[in-house]
Amino acid sequence: MNDTSKFPDPAYRDTVLEPLFDAAKAHYAGPVRAINRAHLVMLAEEGILPRDVAGKIARALAAIDAEIDLSTLRYTGEYEDYFFLVEAELKRRLGPDVAGALHTARSRNDMDHTVFKLVLREKTDALLAQMMGLALDLMATARRERDTLIVAYTHGQPAQPTTYGHYLAAMIEVFIRDGQRLCDAREVLDHCPMGAAAITTSGFPINRHRVAELLGFAEPLRNSYACIAGVDYITGLYSAMKLTFLHLGRVVQDMQFWSAFEVGQLYVPNSLVQISSIMPQKRNPVPIEHLRHLASMTVGRCDAVVNTMHNTPFTDMNDSEGEVQVAGYAAFDSATRVLTLLRALIPACSIRADRVAANMDAACVTVTELADTLVRGDGLSFRQAHEIAAKTAHDVIARNVPLAKGFDAFSLAFIAETGRKPSLDAAGFAVAVSAENFIAQRNRFGGPAPAALDEAFGQYEYELAESVEVNQLRLGRAATAVTALNAAFDALLVE
């Protein structure tokens, strides 16, 4: 049966081909241009194409770039996609034989994945730079707040005193590990698929390393089947992104809780507060809510990309290509908004010492150190000391007085438990249950005491400096590649 239907079908054109063409205009013209030039340079250098033929193609590519304004193009269905539009322009200018020579030893398969990696490299580098900026802001704020007391919560209840600097240091540690996971995913993006062709490389003596070098990759991706079928560069990247913003979202949730009226230990300045339209007494820290939902949106967008790869065949497939690639870019957009807003919010916020002190007094958060002090100073077992401390805490909470006013109850509990008087007097008891003493006693590796925190800050700064150096080397290689590609391509223009 003869099929005389016209291609493309309007539904296929409108729902698939036109959106893909628009995406190519928005995201892929530059990478396709770079790949065309790098591949052409390699073909000429390896003698696969005569240099005079390569020169004709180079001049035609340069003319197409100069004369065609992509922003004005509308999809008509005349060409299936942007790749074929460029190929058609080459044929119109050079004839089919010369124009077709550019596609020697390559396929849209290896081109597509190289294009996607080039775009993701740029977006990931920008994201890593923003993350580094946030990390440095966190470091500066943590140092500023090294000695600022806060109440730490477990299971939603006041637990122990620590410092805001210590809390932020915990955030920094996780953030550094998140950054390392993203850097590891970025390394996978640095292996070039070009030369894999459809899936098995080529019968032509191509130089895959040269193309990778000209495009700023560290090296080619070795296995040609994996170049086309292995989408782990996508799943690994978005998984690392997802974890970063999942973890940041947990900190944001703490900020929401801490800034609530009933807790009130975090003060959000007026520049980051909105007032109710009907209730004039309210200060709504709305940016925190936006941070929470933007972080969640980023997590969801990352999940959408990864889940699209689920149960797909281990081969070339559209599930990993244009539509899902563009969908993933939205995760970078919302991620950028989170990082930008966090960089404004965290340094601007402050801790309300009065609310911290009131909450500490109300919840007896230093009583753990009372038990520790009894073990060290009076030779009690921790279980005995815990019982005495518990009775003391129950008494002051019932009387609604600070723990520092619980010496009498403490003395009675101590005598009842041990049959003797405690070594602590009233003044010593007051010191033992103070928040400042609690922090000072925890001068252990990873603890909140000033010396321990200063040591941690030094380690974080060292790790961040290493990350900066790696990123600078990577950016330097990319800049060098651009220069080398332009020089090699310009040399063909005069052939």
Side-chain angles (χ1 to χ4, degrees):
M1 183 178 69
N2 292 327
D3 185 353
T4 59
S5 59
K6 185 178 179 181
F7 181 83
D9 179 279
Y12 182 50
R13 177 196 63 207
D14 295 342
T15 61
V16 176
L17 296 179
E18 185 171 6
L20 287 175
F21 185 79
D22 290 340
K25 288 197 303 180
H27 302 289
Y28 303 138
V32 168
R33 182 180 301 119
I35 290 170
N36 282 339
R37 294 183 175 202
H39 186 69
L40 180 63
V41 167
M42 182 276 293
L43 292 176
E45 289 179 346
E46 299 302 315
I48 298 170
L49 287 187
R51 290 192 69 86
D52 62 329
V53 173
K56 292 177 182 177
I57 296 172
R59 288 187 288 276
L61 287 174
I64 291 170
D65 294 338
E67 296 167 12
I68 295 181
D69 182 1
L70 277 178
S71 65
T72 65
L73 293 181
R74 294 294 304 275
Y75 187 74
T76 63
E78 183 179 0
Y79 310 111
E80 182 181 337
D81 59 17
Y82 176 68
F83 168 84
F84 282 118
L85 183 148
V86 174
E87 188 170 88
E89 276 295 318
L90 284 175
K91 288 179 181 178
R92 186 176 68 81
R93 295 163 189 261
L94 301 174
D97 291 340
V98 174
L102 177 60
H103 205 52
T104 304
R106 74 177 190 183
S107 164
R108 279 198 299 171
N109 292 359
D110 58 349
M111 287 184 67
D112 279 347
H113 287 287
T114 304
V115 163
F116 301 147
K117 282 191 170 184
L118 287 170
V119 173
L120 289 174
R121 275 190 347 187
E122 183 176 346
K123 290 183 178 294
T124 305
D125 286 343
L127 185 65
L128 283 168
Q130 288 182 309
M131 288 177 64
M132 181 59 64
L134 175 57
L136 295 175
D137 288 345
L138 288 171
M139 280 296 308
T141 307
R143 283 194 176 278
R144 184 189 78 197
E145 306 288 352
R146 185 195 69 173
D147 303 319
T148 303
L149 294 172
I150 62 167
V151 176
Y153 288 78
T154 61
H155 306 286
Q157 303 301 317
Q160 291 184 332
T162 188
T163 69
Y164 192 32
H166 188 237
Y167 177 90
L168 291 174
M171 181 182 177
I172 291 166
E173 268 196 26
V174 175
F175 197 55
I176 288 174
R177 291 194 292 269
D178 284 332
Q180 186 56 57
R181 278 184 282 268
L182 197 58
C183 284
D184 290 343
R186 173 62 175 80
E187 287 302 311
V188 178
L189 296 176
D190 240 350
H191 295 76
C192 183
M194 285 303 295
I199 205 162
T200 59
T201 73
S202 169
F204 294 93
I206 57 175
N207 186 340
R208 294 190 63 204
H209 287 80
R210 178 58 170 158
V211 175
E213 177 187 30
L214 289 170
L215 292 174
F217 289 92
E219 58 186 353
L221 184 60
R222 182 179 295 276
N223 186 280
S224 62
Y225 199 107
C227 288
I228 308 306
V231 299
D232 58 303
Y233 76 91
I234 306 170
T235 55
L237 173 64
Y238 284 102
S239 294
M241 281 183 64
K242 170 189 172 177
L243 290 178
T244 299
F245 291 90
L246 185 152
H247 296 151
L248 286 176
R250 298 182 67 207
V251 175
V252 170
Q253 181 62 15
D254 275 0
M255 297 178 75
Q256 181 83 55
F257 177 66
W258 289 5
S259 62
F261 180 81
E262 293 80 2
V263 178
Q265 75 174 0
L266 184 73
Y267 177 78
V268 181
N270 290 337
S271 61
L272 292 162
V273 165
Q274 288 181 223
I275 305 302
S276 168
S277 65
I278 189 173
M279 296 167 282
Q281 85 284 3
K282 288 193 69 186
R283 299 180 78 254
N284 298 324
V286 173
I288 295 176
E289 294 177 74
H290 286 287
L291 277 169
R292 187 172 59 199
H293 84 251
L294 284 170
S296 295
M297 285 172 62
T298 304
V299 168
R301 287 166 171 172
C302 290
D303 269 342
V305 174
V306 174
N307 291 341
T308 304
M309 306 297 118
H310 179 62
N311 280 350
T312 52
F314 189 56
T315 185
D316 178 48
M317 56 174 185
N318 279 306
D319 308 64
S320 65
E321 297 174 6
E323 292 274 1
V324 74
Q325 294 286 341
V326 174
Y329 302 158
F332 284 92
D333 293 340
S334 52
T336 296
R337 293 168 67 189
V338 170
L339 296 174
T340 301
L341 189 50
L342 270 176
R343 292 191 66 182
L345 182 67
I346 289 181
C349 289
S350 58
I351 298 298
R352 292 184 56 187
D354 59 332
R355 295 296 301 145
V356 170
N359 290 336
M360 284 185 178
D361 286 343
C364 290
V365 295
T366 61
V367 76
T368 303
E369 179 51 34
L370 175 61
D372 289 352
T373 299
L374 295 179
V375 172
R376 293 194 304 267
D378 288 84
L380 304 186
S381 71
F382 184 76
R383 192 49 57 203
Q384 284 179 299
H386 186 279
E387 184 66 20
I388 295 167
K391 289 179 178 178
T392 305
H394 290 159
D395 176 80
V396 297
I397 290 173
R399 292 188 292 120
N400 196 28
V401 298
L403 182 57
K405 295 186 180 297
F407 178 72
D408 291 341
F410 159 72
S411 297
L412 291 174
F414 190 97
I415 293 169
E417 182 69 28
T418 67
R420 57 187 171 90
K421 291 183 177 181
S423 62
L424 286 175
D425 59 13
F429 174 84
V431 170
V433 300
S434 70
E436 291 78 8
N437 178 66
F438 188 103
I439 299 300
Q441 293 295 335
R442 281 149 179 79
N443 190 24
R444 306 291 176 262
F445 181 83
L453 263 183
D454 285 341
E455 186 276 334
F457 291 150
Q459 178 62 28
Y460 303 151
E461 287 171 343
Y462 172 78
E463 293 175 14
L464 291 171
E466 279 193 323
S467 297
V468 168
E469 184 177 355
V470 169
N471 289 340
Q472 287 176 338
L473 288 173
R474 186 185 294 126
L475 294 173
R477 183 174 66 238
T480 299
V482 170
T483 301
L485 176 56
N486 288 339
F489 184 78
D490 289 346
L492 287 178
L493 292 176
V494 297
E495 290 291 337

